[in-house]
Amino acid sequence: GFFVQLMVVPRNFGLVLIMCLFGLSSTTGECFHNRQDEWNELVRFFRATDGWNWDNRNGWLIGDYCAWYGVVCNSQKNVNTLDLFENNLKGSDISLYLPCVENVYFNNNELMGSMSLNTTNLVYLNLNGNRLNSISIANCSNLFEVAVAHNKFSDIDFIGNCLMLSSVYAEHNNIISLPYLGNHKRLNRMQLNENMIVDMTPLMDIKNLRELYLDGNKVLQIPDSIGDLVSVQQVHLNFNFIRELPTSMENLEQLLSVSANSNRISEIRFNLTCFSLSISNNDLEYINPHIFKHLNFADLSDNRLQSISCGGVYLDYLAIQNNLISELPSCIYNIGSVLADNNRINW
């Protein structure tokens, strides 16, 4: 059962791996770890996750682990990637000690409870589609992307010290609170749909944020400080309890799309410069006509609008069905596609 291989590798082996992902640089190519220790750790992990019942366990426990299914090694024959996506891994409170591993893909399995990762070079972590409720990462200084969607997390505090993060995917959990993220200078995408978040204020500290997804939470209010997110391009807040969009959103000159369907918004009196606006299924009674000068796409269906003023503008799409409109807007002939049924229009 035991695999032993003797290797002689100079300690000053000068391989440097340059990663051109948003300027992220790493020296993970220099990583070297005792191969017998790695073999022992992989065997322990195999047993802890019911390896005999994995969907694919080709090669495991026999010979060089670099040839085992899902294992990719670096030039020094240490584990660089562990990819066991959708492989019927089962276990609770799993730990993993692989100092050289950069990429871990355990998504769509049946891992439960907590997970402890002891690695110094982790770059990509995908744990989507399990039953995990917590993670601890000994060193996440190189972590670039983390995906923990469709689990049972109540918080994502574990990313607090992961300052190189670019993207976080944590939708469909039980997240209530958010950690301080003001030091995350590279973080540009937060995907937090279908959680239990009420207060989105901590997200306003992410000054380089470009994409924010908070659909299906319990958000009551958008902070005025959203106007400080000068790099943001996408804001998605569908299915919350929001009553108004703050006027500070006028400052968001990079904004491309705002989606706040199924809230309680009653009016938009300021000007937005986005290209796409979706405010369907709200209590909307008034919208600033200057907004239409920038829009290509507008969905204002299922509201309480009695009139629309959009003269002289050109839209590709306008949805105003299920309102109280009695007269078609003057811009009707400049719009590529119009949906206006179920109003009070006298045709």
Side-chain angles (χ1 to χ4, degrees):
F2 281 83
F3 165 70
V4 179
Q5 178 172 334
L6 297 177
M7 296 183 66
V8 178
V9 178
R11 289 287 182 182
N12 62 350
F13 192 81
L15 178 62
V16 178
L17 176 64
I18 304 298
M19 299 181 62
C20 298
L21 292 170
F22 294 86
L24 182 67
S25 62
S26 171
T27 57
T28 53
E30 296 178 350
C31 187
F32 174 78
H33 187 60
N34 183 280
R35 297 200 76 219
Q36 182 64 58
D37 289 345
E38 282 198 333
W39 192 92
N40 291 338
E41 180 64 8
L42 288 170
V43 171
R44 189 196 61 77
F45 177 79
F46 177 88
R47 292 170 177 163
T49 56
D50 194 21
W52 295 112
N53 290 308
W54 288 0
D55 290 341
N56 190 334
R57 53 183 173 84
N58 288 346
W60 277 75
L61 311 188
I62 300 173
D64 186 350
Y65 57 73
C66 290
W68 295 357
Y69 173 78
V71 178
V72 178
C73 292
N74 62 19
S75 59
Q76 280 117 324
K77 305 284 282 183
N78 289 123
V79 178
N80 172 271
T81 297
L82 195 54
D83 184 357
L84 295 169
F85 158 76
E86 205 169 274
N87 201 41
N88 200 35
L89 276 64
K90 297 180 180 179
S92 180
D93 302 327
I94 301 299
S95 64
L96 186 66
Y97 176 56
L98 291 173
C100 293
V101 73
E102 294 182 16
N103 312 299
V104 172
Y105 304 105
F106 293 160
N107 40 319
N108 295 1
N109 283 288
E110 296 186 38
L111 302 176
M112 298 183 292
S114 65
M115 172 161 283
S116 175
L117 298 172
N118 192 339
T119 173
T120 57
N121 292 303
L122 193 61
V123 177
Y124 289 94
L125 175 63
N126 192 331
L127 299 173
N128 287 343
N130 283 281
R131 302 178 191 175
L132 297 166
N133 56 38
S134 66
I135 304 175
S136 64
I137 305 175
N139 185 333
C140 62
S141 60
N142 288 310
L143 189 59
F144 182 76
E145 181 177 295
V146 60
V148 292
H150 295 271
N151 278 281
K152 297 185 176 182
F153 289 90
S154 60
D155 63 66
I156 49 172
D157 292 352
F158 70 93
I159 70 170
N161 295 320
C162 308
L163 302 185
M164 300 299 282
L165 267 176
S166 173
S167 302
V168 174
Y169 300 89
E171 60 269 32
H172 291 273
N173 278 280
N174 301 316
I175 297 170
I176 300 172
S177 61
L178 298 167
Y180 175 70
L181 298 168
N183 294 323
H184 290 64
K185 307 301 182 185
R186 298 175 181 269
L187 188 54
N188 61 65
R189 183 184 179 102
M190 291 291 292
Q191 194 149 321
L192 297 165
N193 297 338
E194 303 299 331
N195 280 286
M196 302 174 68
I197 297 167
V198 175
D199 184 9
M200 57 185 286
T201 303
L203 299 170
M204 303 302 100
D205 294 318
I206 312 173
K207 299 309 180 187
N208 292 311
L209 189 66
R210 288 190 293 207
E211 298 182 35
L212 175 59
Y213 297 84
L214 276 170
D215 297 343
N217 278 275
K218 297 187 177 183
V219 177
L220 299 174
Q221 183 177 12
I222 304 174
D224 288 337
S225 52
I226 194 173
D228 298 330
L229 301 181
V230 294
S231 297
V232 74
Q233 297 176 352
Q234 304 274 346
V235 176
H236 298 271
L237 295 163
N238 303 306
F239 298 98
N240 281 282
F241 301 93
I242 298 163
R243 294 188 177 274
E244 63 177 351
L245 302 180
T247 57
S248 61
M249 291 182 71
E250 282 185 316
N251 301 329
L252 305 179
E253 296 181 355
Q254 302 298 316
L255 197 59
L256 299 177
S257 177
V258 175
S259 181
N261 301 313
S262 298
N263 280 278
R264 299 174 180 176
I265 300 165
S266 60
E267 61 180 17
I268 305 175
R269 293 198 170 272
F270 58 93
N271 190 17
L272 279 171
T273 57
C274 57
F275 294 104
S276 175
L277 178 64
S278 295
I279 310 287
S280 70
N281 194 28
N282 276 271
D283 299 322
L284 199 63
E285 296 181 350
Y286 175 81
I287 183 167
N288 187 326
H290 294 291
I291 289 178
F292 293 99
K293 293 181 179 180
H294 308 281
L295 290 174
N296 288 326
F297 177 100
D299 185 355
L300 308 175
S301 59
D302 296 281
N303 280 288
R304 298 179 182 178
L305 292 167
Q306 295 185 29
S307 64
I308 292 283
S309 177
C310 56
V313 301
Y314 297 87
L315 284 79
D316 291 331
Y317 178 90
L318 175 64
I320 53 174
Q321 69 268 38
N322 300 318
N323 276 279
L324 306 173
I325 297 170
S326 58
E327 185 177 352
L328 286 172
S330 58
C331 63
I332 189 72
Y333 300 107
N334 297 331
I335 301 174
S337 178
V338 179
L339 300 178
D341 50 308
N342 293 327
N343 277 281
R344 296 180 177 177
I345 300 168
N346 186 2
W347 299 96

